[in-house]
Amino acid sequence: MKQWYKITAKKDSADILIYEQIGQNWFDEGVSAKKFVTDLNKLDVSAINLFINSPGGNVFEGNSIYNALVRHK
């Protein structure tokens, strides 16, 4: 499965780029909230720079990603 986002951790911050639809389609394309949240929880940073260029997607998956970002320290 191709990863449709990129997380680059630096010393005290991380850059997160989301450049595809939110939620997976039938072809396993898109950003899965489950995988994204798992990867996000591995970060030990105090700041996150988030860059999104998405055509849309699943509102429930997007809400899960949003909530995980809000809860992250």
Side-chain angles (χ1 to χ4, degrees):
M1 174 174 50
K2 183 172 171 79
Q3 186 168 308
W4 294 96
Y5 60 91
K6 181 178 179 182
I7 298 176
T8 306
K10 301 174 185 173
K11 184 176 180 178
D12 293 326
S13 67
D15 290 341
I16 299 178
L17 293 80
I18 299 176
Y19 288 153
E20 188 53 77
Q21 71 182 12
I22 305 300
Q24 288 184 315
N25 63 18
W26 294 102
F27 304 108
D28 287 333
E29 297 173 335
V31 179
S32 160
K34 184 176 181 179
K35 175 77 171 115
F36 181 87
V37 172
T38 300
D39 291 343
L40 177 68
N41 288 335
K42 294 176 186 175
L43 289 177
D44 185 22
V45 296
S46 58
I48 294 175
N49 302 309
L50 180 62
F51 304 92
I52 301 174
N53 185 12
S54 173
N58 185 304
V59 69
F60 299 107
E61 294 272 319
N63 194 42
S64 296
I65 290 171
Y66 169 79
N67 287 330
L69 287 165
V70 169
R71 284 191 310 267
H72 195 274
K73 64 178 181 175

